[in-house]
């Protein structure tokens, strides 16, 4: 969102968020935060103000935000959908509609309302409320995850029940939109078929198209890097990569993987991933530091789940892809071939790809003993970024919709 809107004057942008922590973006001139903890408290204290306005750069230090972060980061022992349904019921009972929210939207009086269509039912309900009450001149939805099919986890009855509930709101949002953006070609195809619309393909743009392509220094060990969360089966895929690196390094260190993540991992998973001499598991770092670390790496790793039953990211398009394409470095993607990111990189031949666990070690062996492949796919990835994701072409597509 920040990339797409960065060319506007900040006074013409206002933003609403509903999760712990204030936005660190300075693209908007003002922000409005609805506190989940206050929404829950409002069930018993209807007079509590559940949201407040803040300005870019304001500190987000407050007890409520700290408790929300702890809640999100905790390793829950009950089934995931227990918390999913509990959250939706609490938001349904809570009083997130408030005078301060209404005043914020009214004072800004938006011409264009631009929002993601999410898997959070309460977030979609908030967007419907804004559309119906304030009637913006133009409504644009952005579908960047599979939030409408039954294909992600079809054997899970709780998933199917949640999906039935979710789809009602998604359908209302799509029908309320003047335009819907789709994050990747696979998403666009299924979205258009499901809702009978003509969505517009729109990805995150690359940061620049003038990065030098990685030449390779021939140093050892080869440095791989992964940055991002390790949920939705990614940790298990990373574990298999670490196993392959351990095997490769038996007779001397040839490869090392650095992982930067804010995800909470069970102790046993941490032990399997953090292997001295093979893989270094490190804590979350800010985006500016992420880019600096990527510049130091030889290969950038994208990891998705290998599961054929549970495909959480099947229509997603990781924002890491365009960030990685921006660096002119070789990308190695591991994950199920039916997932949007893996499907895209395979079709564009923009990365080395391993679509099953048994393909990981042979690919790693090829990377280590055929270094020219690193250079080859650094070039292919760079060309894909220029061809499909230049900032100029992405923003031109976005502006064409606005016009």
């Amino acid at each position: 969102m920040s990339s797409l809107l960065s060319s506007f004057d900040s006074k013409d942008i206002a933003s609403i968020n509903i999760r712990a922590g204030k936005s660190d973006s300075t693209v908007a001139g003002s922000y409005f935060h609805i506190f989940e903890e206050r929404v829950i408290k409002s069930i018993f204290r209807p007079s509590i103000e559940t949201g407040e306005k803040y300005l870019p750069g304001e500190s987000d230090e407050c007890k409520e935000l700290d408790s929300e972060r702890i809640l999100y980061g905790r390793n829950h022992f009950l089934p995931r959908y227990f918390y999913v349904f509990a959250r939706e019921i609490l938001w349904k009972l809570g009083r997130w509609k408030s005078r301060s929210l209404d005043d914020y939207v009214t004072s800004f009086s938006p011409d264009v309302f631009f929002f993601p269509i999410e898997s959070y039912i309460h977030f979609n309900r908030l967007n419907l409320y804004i559309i119906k009450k304030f009637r913006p001149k133009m409504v644009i939805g952005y579908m960047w995850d599979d939030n409408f099919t039954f294909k992600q986890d079809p054997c899970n009855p709780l998933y199917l029940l949640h999906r039935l509930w979710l789809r009602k709101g998604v359908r209302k949002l799509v029908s309320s939109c003047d335009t819907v953006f789709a994050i990747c070609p696979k998403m666009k195809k299924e979205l258009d078929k499901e809702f009978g619309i003509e969505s517009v393909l729109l990805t995150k743009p690359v940061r620049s198209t003038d990065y030098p392509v990685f030449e390779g220094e021939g140093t050892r060990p080869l440095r791989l890097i992964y940055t991002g969360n390790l949920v939705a089966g990614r940790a298990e895929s990373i574990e298999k990569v670490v196993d392959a690196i351990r095997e490769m390094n038996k007779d001397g260190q040839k490869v090392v993987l650095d992982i930067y993540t804010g995800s909470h991992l069970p102790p046993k998973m941490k032990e399997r991933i953090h292997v001295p001499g093979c893989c270094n598991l490190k804590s979350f770092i800010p985006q500016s530091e992420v880019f600096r670390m990527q510049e130091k790496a030889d290969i950038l790793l994208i990891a998705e789940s290998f599961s054929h039953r549970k495909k959480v990211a099947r229509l997603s398009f990781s924002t890491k892809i365009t960030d990685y394409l921006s660096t002119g470095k070789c990308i190695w993607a591991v994950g199920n071939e039916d997932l949007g990111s893996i499907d895209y990189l395979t079709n564009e031949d923009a990365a080395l790809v391993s679509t099953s666990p048994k393909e990981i070690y042979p690919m790693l062996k090829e990377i280590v003993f055929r270094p020219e492949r690193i250079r080859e796919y650094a070039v292919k990835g760079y060309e894909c970024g220029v061809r499909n994701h230049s900032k100029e072409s992405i923003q031109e597509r976005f502006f064409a919709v606005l016009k």
Side-chain angles (χ1 to χ4, degrees):
M1 289 291 196
S2 292
S3 298
L4 289 171
L5 301 174
S6 60
S7 60
F8 287 89
D9 192 320
S10 63
K11 68 179 175 58
D12 295 325
I13 307 291
S15 178
I16 297 173
N17 57 286
I18 65 169
R19 285 290 178 266
K22 293 178 179 177
S23 174
D24 60 2
S25 172
T26 57
V27 170
S30 68
Y31 297 81
F32 188 85
H33 188 174
I34 300 175
F35 293 79
E36 184 166 64
E37 184 169 309
R38 293 188 196 176
V39 171
I40 295 170
K41 288 179 178 178
S42 72
I43 298 172
F44 307 101
R45 292 169 51 198
S47 62
I48 190 172
E49 193 60 70
T50 52
E52 61 185 40
K53 177 181 175 179
Y54 66 95
L55 299 177
E58 284 189 6
S59 170
D60 64 354
E61 293 305 315
C62 90
K63 292 181 180 178
E64 289 162 318
L65 296 179
D66 288 341
S67 64
E68 284 186 21
R69 289 191 187 99
I70 291 170
L71 179 65
Y72 301 148
R74 186 175 295 156
N75 184 27
H76 298 299
F77 297 100
L78 293 171
R80 172 177 176 262
Y81 279 99
F82 172 86
Y83 296 98
V84 169
F85 282 109
R87 169 180 272 165
E88 297 299 350
I89 291 168
L90 290 170
W91 273 83
K92 181 72 173 174
L93 296 174
R95 197 186 59 81
W96 52 267
K97 297 176 186 176
S98 66
R99 179 176 294 177
S100 57
L101 171 62
D102 288 355
D103 289 347
Y104 181 73
V105 181
T106 300
S107 64
F108 186 73
S109 186
D111 297 305
V112 178
F113 182 42
F114 181 31
F115 57 92
I117 300 173
E118 287 284 3
S119 62
Y120 305 111
I121 295 165
H122 57 281
F123 182 73
N124 293 340
R125 192 182 297 119
L126 165 65
N127 291 324
L128 278 170
Y129 171 76
I130 293 172
I131 293 168
K132 290 179 179 179
K133 180 154 188 171
F134 301 100
R135 300 188 179 280
K137 293 173 184 151
M138 186 174 196
V139 177
I140 303 174
Y142 201 166
M143 191 79 79
W144 51 32
D145 275 313
D146 180 3
N147 296 323
F148 59 95
T149 78
F150 292 97
K151 299 177 181 179
Q152 286 179 311
D153 194 8
C155 298
N156 186 337
L158 291 177
Y159 160 82
L160 295 174
L161 182 62
H162 177 264
R163 187 52 49 117
L164 283 169
W165 189 9
L166 172 65
R167 277 168 57 96
K168 290 180 66 176
V170 169
R171 192 170 291 279
K172 288 178 183 177
L173 278 177
V174 171
S175 65
S176 300
C177 290
D178 297 293
T179 297
V180 177
F181 289 125
I183 193 72
C184 65
K186 189 178 179 70
M187 166 72 79
K188 173 176 167 53
K189 182 179 178 180
E190 295 195 24
L191 185 64
D192 292 355
K193 183 178 179 181
E194 175 72 25
F195 296 104
I197 61 174
E198 187 59 43
S199 61
V200 177
L201 184 63
L202 195 77
T203 66
K204 180 181 177 180
V206 292
R207 299 195 306 277
S208 174
T209 53
D210 59 1
Y211 274 73
V213 174
F214 175 71
E215 294 292 343
E217 299 174 1
T219 58
R220 292 291 176 92
L222 284 173
R223 302 205 71 87
L224 278 65
I225 188 172
Y226 176 87
T227 55
N229 72 64
L230 293 175
V231 301
R234 295 184 181 98
E236 289 75 10
S237 297
I238 290 283
E239 181 189 355
K240 291 176 173 58
V241 173
V242 174
D243 289 343
I245 293 174
R246 187 191 284 116
E247 179 68 23
M248 180 61 65
N249 288 349
K250 272 185 175 179
D251 56 351
Q253 191 183 47
K254 303 178 186 68
V255 186
V256 64
L257 169 63
D258 292 318
I259 298 173
Y260 296 89
T261 182
S263 296
H264 177 89
L265 294 175
K268 288 185 178 179
M269 179 59 77
K270 276 187 177 179
E271 289 177 14
R272 293 196 292 267
I273 289 179
H274 184 71
V275 179
C278 297
C279 180
N280 304 307
L281 185 60
K282 304 181 181 183
S283 59
F284 169 84
I285 54 176
Q287 190 75 352
S288 56
E289 185 73 3
V290 167
F291 295 148
R292 193 173 70 84
M293 290 300 178
Q294 288 172 354
E295 288 301 316
K296 293 182 176 182
D298 300 303
I299 297 171
L300 311 180
L301 182 66
I302 289 177
E304 298 290 357
S305 172
F306 282 113
S307 173
H308 287 275
R309 185 183 68 84
K310 192 174 182 179
K311 302 175 183 178
V312 176
R314 61 176 300 274
L315 295 183
S316 302
F317 185 85
S318 173
T319 55
K320 276 195 290 295
I321 290 179
T322 50
D323 286 341
Y324 281 11
L325 294 174
S326 300
T327 66
K329 297 289 184 75
C330 174
I331 299 170
W332 181 19
V334 300
N336 188 298
E337 62 189 351
D338 193 37
L339 303 183
S341 295
I342 306 298
D343 176 76
Y344 177 81
L345 290 170
T346 301
N347 289 337
E348 291 290 331
D349 194 24
L352 297 166
V353 179
S354 301
T355 58
S356 71
K358 67 182 180 181
E359 295 177 7
I360 290 177
Y361 184 75
M363 182 62 76
L364 183 63
K365 192 174 180 180
E366 186 170 348
I367 290 169
V368 170
F369 295 109
R370 291 185 60 195
E372 69 273 12
R373 296 283 278 168
I374 299 175
R375 162 70 184 178
E376 177 188 353
Y377 275 88
V379 172
K380 287 185 175 183
Y382 172 79
E383 290 175 345
C384 175
V386 173
R387 183 171 65 247
N388 297 330
H389 306 284
S390 72
K391 189 171 184 178
E392 294 75 20
S393 63
I394 295 294
Q395 289 199 329
E396 183 179 335
R397 198 175 304 168
F398 181 57
F399 292 144
V401 168
L402 295 181
K403 291 174 183 177

